[in-house]
Amino acid sequence: MYAQMVKSTGTLKTREEMDERERAFQDRIDAGEKIEPQDWMPEGYRKTLIRQIGQHAHSEIVGQLPEGNWITRAPTLERKAILLAKVQDEAGHGLYLYCAAETLGVSRDEMTEKLHDGKMKYSSIFNYPTLTWADIGAVGWLVDGAAIMNQVALQRTSYGPYSRAMVRICKEESFHQRQGYSIMMTMAAGTPEQKRMAQDALDRLWYPSLMMFGPSDKDSVHSAQSMAWKIKVSTNDELRQKFVDQTVPQAEYLGLTIPDEKLDWNEAKGGYDFSEPDWQEFHDVLAGNGPCNADRMSARRTAWEDGAWYRDGLVAHANKRAAQRMAAE
Amino acid sequence: MSSEWPLWEVFIRGQHGLNHRHVGSLHAPDAEMAIKNARDVYTRRNEGVSIWVVPSNQITASVPSEKGPMFEPSKSKIYRHPTFYDIPDDVGHM
């Protein structure tokens, strides 16, 4: 549902090292102005944005797969309708983001091909499986919760079309988190077996959710330039801390235990102390070795290839109709 | 063959809104499909009662670098706004 470890093109320059156009550009960003597609921008800004927005878009699209897994097996018709609506939203969010990226001079098909060729990434979280219905609750609560944390901040990003896509997405996404928490409340208040399933989902998805914010600031090599350009507006650790502080009381309300023995309220900093996720696992998953990487990519490639005749058919039909109209005029 | 679907700009008139407003863009093979896709992508929550779609390449835009001279003339004409005129309270609402 968003981007991690986006490589930033261009090294951070001091004002003296910038040329006149770069300085004027940085001044606009510092003044909080939005950059629009036709404005001049440094090549590195453009490339970094394409990478980040593209990765964000891919995450929305691939993110449909773990949830789509449960549409046919939702426990009630109402839950099924809700899950369908949520998955449809994710498709919409992907489309808003692809359009935002396209204003930077890259085509949607190009980005799709890069994803399929393994040259672009999506969030590590979607390489984990959804094993039980409780996972659908935990995904909405934790994964969408983490995504919202990041996306609310990104509404202030410097690139106009990206910022506007975020505003739209944030408006819609709150429903995603709440429906997830609603599933968790039902499960946690259900039979002992259901409560055990809810706890199990939290146990498995807690650390992968923390990983969604990307590596610790001290290891985050790409942040400085992206922060200066306001492509990123909060650091990984800031957002992760906010997420933990927000989520712990919600888990307590459910009567579930966060799987972290070191979790403890720190009065001095006004937030929780908590254990870092296993960063080795994070890098392994990003490198393609997570539990579901191969499945996700093959599902995307199959959908693309199997849909080719349909896309082409519609173009052929549109061309035929256009020719007929020309002839009639 | 695989040619990419062209881009369309989408305008929606909201329930209580007066004008169609630009909401974003999308790809579609023709105008008819663009309307259908716009329904699915941009009105999932009752946002609209009417949709316009326009091929993106048919839009002509003002030049951003000329926005100074383009819009400056209206900036200096503050007498076009009602607040420019002081009307005594005794006159009542105007």
Side-chain angles (χ1 to χ4, degrees):
Chain A
M1 252 151 253
Y2 79 114
Q4 299 157 320
M5 306 250 321
V6 175
K7 197 166 146 281
S8 190
T9 300
T11 45
L12 193 55
K13 289 183 183 175
T14 62
R15 284 191 73 77
E16 291 69 41
E17 289 166 336
M18 293 179 191
D19 65 29
E20 203 176 313
R21 279 196 305 185
E22 290 170 328
R23 245 194 315 266
F25 179 81
Q26 189 64 50
D27 286 344
R28 289 187 61 195
I29 290 193
D30 293 343
E33 273 184 52
K34 296 285 182 224
I35 306 302
E36 295 297 336
Q38 291 161 307
D39 295 343
W40 181 86
M41 60 186 82
E43 193 52 20
Y45 178 83
R46 197 181 69 84
K47 284 194 174 147
T48 307
L49 267 175
I50 290 176
R51 239 176 258 133
Q52 175 161 330
I53 304 174
Q55 195 186 116
H56 198 154
H58 294 327
S59 298
E60 300 283 356
I61 299 299
V62 176
Q64 294 178 101
L65 296 169
E67 297 189 291
N69 184 34
W70 280 90
I71 289 174
T72 55
R73 289 174 283 162
T76 67
L77 188 56
E78 186 183 63
R79 291 287 190 202
K80 181 174 179 165
I82 292 170
L83 186 56
L84 260 174
K86 177 180 191 298
V87 171
Q88 194 192 10
D89 269 359
E90 305 298 1
H93 295 177
L95 294 181
Y96 305 156
L97 286 160
Y98 283 128
C99 283
E102 284 190 287
T103 62
L104 294 158
V106 62
S107 82
R108 187 171 80 189
D109 284 9
E110 253 175 276
M111 287 183 276
T112 304
E113 273 160 31
K114 279 193 176 162
L115 172 70
H116 295 174
D117 292 344
K119 288 179 190 150
M120 283 183 92
K121 290 188 171 16
Y122 53 91
S123 177
S124 57
I125 189 72
F126 302 117
N127 291 312
Y128 291 86
T130 44
L131 301 176
T132 74
W133 174 253
D135 289 16
I136 298 303
V139 164
W141 172 36
L142 301 173
V143 174
D144 288 271
I148 290 170
M149 198 57 81
N150 183 60
Q151 293 175 150
V152 164
L154 279 175
Q155 292 180 100
R156 290 181 286 119
T157 190
S158 62
Y159 189 56
Y162 192 26
S163 160
R164 290 190 285 275
M166 284 301 109
V167 170
R168 236 193 134 73
I169 288 175
C170 285
K171 247 191 236 167
E172 298 181 346
E173 195 121 313
S174 160
F175 135 63
H176 296 182
Q177 192 185 14
R178 292 174 74 133
Q179 66 85 36
Y181 195 69
S182 155
I183 293 174
M184 294 305 276
M185 284 197 299
T186 306
M187 301 282 291
T191 64
E193 173 66 4
Q194 285 174 316
K195 184 163 184 186
R196 200 192 55 72
M197 283 167 72
Q199 180 64 53
D200 172 58
L202 172 59
D203 290 347
R204 280 181 292 105
L205 286 163
W206 174 252
Y207 287 105
S209 299
L210 294 188
M211 291 177 197
M212 287 178 67
F213 298 96
S216 172
D217 293 347
K218 59 183 190 299
D219 304 316
S220 185
V221 285
H222 310 300
S223 285
Q225 177 65 78
S226 287
M227 296 281 285
W229 277 332
K230 291 193 191 158
I231 289 176
K232 251 178 116 155
V233 288
S234 308
T235 73
N236 299 348
D237 285 336
E238 278 165 16
L239 290 170
R240 191 169 12 249
Q241 181 71 52
K242 266 176 99 170
F243 173 75
V244 172
D245 293 345
Q246 172 192 283
T247 309
V248 171
Q250 295 167 351
E252 282 167 2
Y253 179 85
L254 294 171
L256 300 179
T257 311
I258 304 262
D260 181 358
E261 287 176 3
K262 288 196 191 137
L263 187 84
D264 196 19
W265 178 254
N266 181 333
E267 190 63 44
K269 76 170 178 184
Y272 286 91
D273 290 330
F274 57 93
S275 303
E276 299 242 333
D278 175 354
W279 292 117
Q280 190 51 49
E281 177 182 320
F282 171 73
H283 289 291
D284 285 347
V285 171
L286 275 191
N289 303 317
C292 299
N293 295 58
D295 274 4
R296 302 298 186 229
M297 287 309 293
S298 110
R300 286 312 309 151
R301 285 195 199 100
T302 306
W304 181 250
E305 285 159 16
D306 289 357
W309 68 270
Y310 175 75
R311 294 191 301 275
D312 291 347
L314 287 181
V315 171
H317 176 73
N319 290 342
K320 195 172 91 182
R321 291 285 298 275
Q324 282 168 348
R325 264 199 307 276
M326 286 278 273
E329 272 168 15
Chain B
M1 118 185 158
S2 281
S3 57
E4 193 163 17
W5 291 350
L7 199 62
W8 302 75
E9 299 303 318
V10 181
F11 300 81
I12 300 215
R13 188 171 67 217
Q15 299 276 7
H16 308 288
L18 296 169
N19 299 321
H20 282 77
R21 194 170 150 247
H22 183 245
V23 292
S25 45
L26 52 74
H27 287 276
D30 57 25
E32 202 186 333
M33 284 300 292
I35 295 262
K36 286 187 174 141
N37 290 352
R39 199 264 322 249
D40 290 344
V41 179
Y42 291 108
T43 66
R44 287 194 304 282
R45 286 174 179 76
N46 230 6
E47 287 95 335
V49 292
S50 167
I51 301 175
W52 289 349
V53 292
V54 182
S56 302
N57 60 17
Q58 295 293 309
I59 302 250
T60 308
S62 61
V63 184
S65 59
E66 288 169 11
K67 76 176 174 220
M70 180 91 167
F71 299 109
E72 202 288 323
S74 79
K75 258 191 200 152
S76 54
K77 296 174 181 56
I78 49 171
Y79 46 82
R80 283 180 171 162
H81 298 277
T83 46
F84 179 74
Y85 305 93
D86 282 327
I87 304 291
D89 288 347
D90 298 347
V91 178
H93 177 74
M94 184 179 283

